[in-house]
Amino acid sequence: MVLLDGKTTSAAIKQQIAKQVEELVANGEKRPHLVAILVGDNGASKTYVAAKEKACGEVGFNSTVLRLPEETTEAELLKEVDRLNHDDDVDGFIVQLPLPKHINEQRIIEAVDPSKDVDGFHPVNVGKLSLGLPTFVSATPFGIMELLKAYNIDTKGKHCVVLGRSNIVGRPMANLLSQKGNPGDCTVTICHSRTQDIASYTRSADIIVAALGVPEFLKGDMVKDGAVIVDVGITRVPDETRPKGYRIVGDVAFDEVAPKASYITPVPGGVGPMTIVSLMKNTLQAAQWRKQAE
Ligand code: L34
């Protein structure tokens, strides 16, 4: 069993990005600028946005975090989005999800200028992805593709089961894995909460991407020997024995599944860091496309 180490893989990609940024700057161009909007006080969101800010520093980007209170109205948030859409100094921006319940997430996503949508959540970018056109790819599936590539995992003709049909992970993941190329060329099955007998699918899978958000959902007896396991789950489970008062649990029962797997991602240290670095890749791409459009 080989661990798919997202920490070292993302560190290597960050170094490549940093080098490209220094080349841009040496050519008299400006540093890419990423803005993140964080609404409210969600603990996990604060951690993820802080990680994104830190990564920006590491690759040499400018970064700004706009922290807005929980009570922010949808109209106020739309105004911020509009301002960023028109701010020439900003190459890309994200609105960290989830948003407070009184704000319609889809309305916010659709208000972002697709050319600055480095999350790849806007319908225009989702549409381009599904057509196989160049676009911003949602950071988590993008990061998983990069991780499979870094470990030279052979995906061609393999049966891949994606657990979860979310707009930000499951759907784009299934799309990417079924596209032509490497990684890609998979035969993909999407399973979800209404699927009958999920184990009958996972047991025939060569590759499983678990993105349901159900802690330790995938058990040892649901996996065939030699399968590749990618765990997207990152649920915080209260644990008084830990300094932070919680531990992070994936969607895979790691201790049972790892001995059967050929490759498996740890949680933490697997998909999470790859998500962050993929956002950096998208931001660099945004800056380059903007430059070309001038
Ligand atoms: N707009 N909202 C928007 N864009 C995104 O790309 C995200 N996502 C998801 C949640 N909402 C979003 C993230 O940033 C999930 N996500 C994310 C980012 C980073 C990590 C996990 C999820 C991460 O760094 N995980 C670490 C552990 C961090 C911890 O201590 O909690 C890891 O090693 O897995």
Side-chain angles (χ1 to χ4, degrees), residues 47-48 52 95-97 119 121 234 236 248 268-269 272-273 275-276:
T47 304
Y48 305 152
K52 292 171 183 182
V95 183
Q96 187 70 21
L97 304 180
D119 263 332
F121 292 172
I234 31 146
R236 293 182 169 197
I248 299 164
T275 297
I276 306 277

Side-chain angles (χ1 to χ4, degrees), residues 5 9 13 74 79 85 104 124 129 201 240 249 260 283:
D5 185 338
T9 306
I13 297 173
E74 188 174 293
K79 222 172 136 187
N85 283 342
N104 181 324
V124 164
L129 176 75
Y201 298 95
E240 291 314 319
V249 182
K260 300 181 80 175
T283 304

Side-chain angles (χ1 to χ4, degrees), residues 95-161:
V95 183
Q96 187 70 21
L97 304 180
L99 289 169
K101 284 195 183 57
H102 61 273
I103 299 176
N104 181 324
E105 282 184 356
Q106 195 57 29
R107 205 166 288 155
I108 303 301
I109 287 168
E110 291 185 24
V112 175
D113 183 328
S115 72
K116 292 190 177 186
D117 170 37
V118 285
D119 263 332
F121 292 172
H122 190 283
V124 164
N125 290 323
V126 175
K128 285 184 177 178
L129 176 75
S130 77
L131 294 170
L133 299 172
T135 188
F136 302 116
V137 178
S138 179
T140 299
F142 187 10
I144 292 168
M145 296 298 276
E146 292 287 310
L147 196 55
L148 296 173
K149 199 193 279 177
Y151 282 82
N152 284 314
I153 291 174
D154 183 21
T155 59
K156 191 171 167 186
K158 298 290 161 66
H159 181 209
C160 179
V161 169

